[in-house]
Amino acid sequence: SETTLYETKDAKLISGLVGLIAVDVPKSQGACMCCGSPTLEFYKAGTLILTLGVQHGRALRWLDGPWTADAQLTTASGDRFVKWMTNHRVGQPEKDRTGSLEQEAQASESEKRWLAAMPPSLRPYWGKDSMFGPSDKTISEMDSVLTKNIPDRNGRILALLGWFGSGESWNGYPAYEGTAETLLMKYTTRQLVEALAGRKLTSGQLDGAARLFSGELARKRPQERNLLPKAIRKQLLDYCRSSADADKAERTLATLSEQEG
């Protein structure tokens, strides 16, 4: 099903394209799971000598070549590279690059919002472990530090709920958001409920509580679902019903509304 999008034997033109490639070595540390598109094939005397896969208009993968990771193009190189492709009737890399950069900018804003909501005493741990989140050892240290800085248990739980509720989405969220959830799951369901009871909650705390009670807690402690009082359940449902995020409303209604009445 592969299609040749563009072909040239003009050595000067090909040299010009290769000359646009400048790699940001420090950022070239991993490989995307995508196959990439399109693929650039270079021939010499009719023999295929080099294959480069274009990754989201931002990186190049040298198939069976010396690069151990996808080579991230510098900003200027990436802009010139995809423009060359567009000018030669291959416009997808430029579209992919534009979309990728927009997603990156959105992710950056989400991360800033997440860090702003993070309990100050935990900020030194940011990025300490892998991209998939802190290790069990680090989680234990964070729990101890938070306990020391916020001795009141209810205060700790509310701080964590506000943090957990600062994420942009409950679906397809960055792995680092699981840290707040892991710390919250260290508390019993009764302790979590006690922290919520009789308090005027912020939108972040409501979001975090709804996210927790309709997500990880519902999955891991289904036998304790009725410990959530009707008043709190209604508060969370009302919050999510008014949300512009259809996914949040759907998930919460599917989980918590089963207990209404």
Side-chain angles (χ1 to χ4, degrees):
S1 62
E2 294 183 355
T3 302
T4 299
L5 302 175
Y6 177 77
E7 182 176 4
T8 182
K9 295 182 179 181
D10 186 328
K12 185 176 181 180
L13 195 62
I14 297 169
S15 178
L17 171 62
V18 174
L20 297 177
I21 298 173
V23 178
D24 188 331
V25 176
K27 291 185 178 180
S28 303
Q29 301 297 322
C32 178
M33 296 298 290
C34 301
C35 293
S37 179
T39 298
L40 307 181
E41 296 181 339
F42 295 85
Y43 291 82
K44 183 176 182 179
T47 300
L48 179 64
I49 59 170
L50 172 65
T51 300
L52 294 179
V54 182
Q55 295 288 329
H56 307 286
R58 305 186 64 185
L60 298 175
R61 178 176 300 163
W62 191 339
L63 184 64
D64 297 326
W67 295 344
T68 58
D70 292 345
Q72 300 295 318
L73 299 174
T74 64
T75 300
S77 171
D79 289 341
R80 293 194 296 263
F81 184 85
V82 298
K83 185 61 67 177
W84 189 100
M85 301 288 285
T86 298
N87 290 340
H88 291 84
R89 304 189 302 278
V90 184
Q92 193 60 47
E94 186 169 20
K95 293 178 181 178
D96 290 345
R97 179 174 175 78
T98 299
S100 180
L101 291 174
E102 289 175 350
Q103 289 179 353
E104 185 177 276
Q106 183 177 358
S108 178
E109 288 302 312
S110 296
E111 184 175 334
K112 288 178 183 177
R113 185 168 55 251
W114 180 258
L115 284 172
M118 187 178 191
S121 61
L122 300 184
R123 288 174 188 164
Y125 291 92
W126 180 252
K128 185 176 180 180
D129 290 335
S130 75
M131 62 181 290
F132 300 106
S135 64
D136 291 343
K137 180 177 180 295
T138 301
I139 285 290
S140 180
E141 290 178 9
M142 293 172 75
D143 185 46
S144 297
V145 167
L146 191 63
T147 300
K148 180 179 179 180
N149 283 269
I150 309 179
D152 177 65
R153 187 182 65 206
N154 291 338
R156 290 196 302 276
I157 291 173
L158 291 173
L160 289 172
L161 287 173
W163 183 27
F164 193 42
S166 68
E168 184 172 341
S169 173
W170 297 0
N171 183 36
Y173 57 86
Y176 59 71
E177 291 188 16
T179 303
E181 186 175 53
T182 300
L183 287 167
L184 282 164
M185 289 297 289
K186 283 183 167 291
Y187 297 92
T188 68
T189 304
R190 292 186 185 278
Q191 289 172 336
L192 294 168
V193 168
E194 182 182 326
L196 296 171
R199 289 180 172 81
K200 183 175 177 59
L201 303 173
T202 66
S203 59
Q205 290 165 348
L206 287 168
D207 196 287
R211 184 178 182 181
L212 183 68
F213 277 89
S214 63
E216 190 74 354
L217 194 141
R219 289 190 293 273
K220 291 190 174 180
R221 305 175 191 173
Q223 72 281 4
E224 298 180 4
R225 58 192 305 163
N226 291 323
L227 294 179
L228 189 65
K230 289 183 178 180
I232 298 177
R233 189 165 60 244
K234 182 179 184 304
Q235 194 177 13
L236 300 181
L237 285 166
D238 288 346
Y239 166 78
C240 289
R241 284 179 177 129
S242 65
S243 172
D245 190 323
D247 179 63
K248 290 182 181 181
E250 183 179 344
R251 289 189 183 209
T252 309
L253 288 170
T255 306
L256 300 184
S257 62
E258 296 175 4
Q259 304 167 51
E260 282 191 299

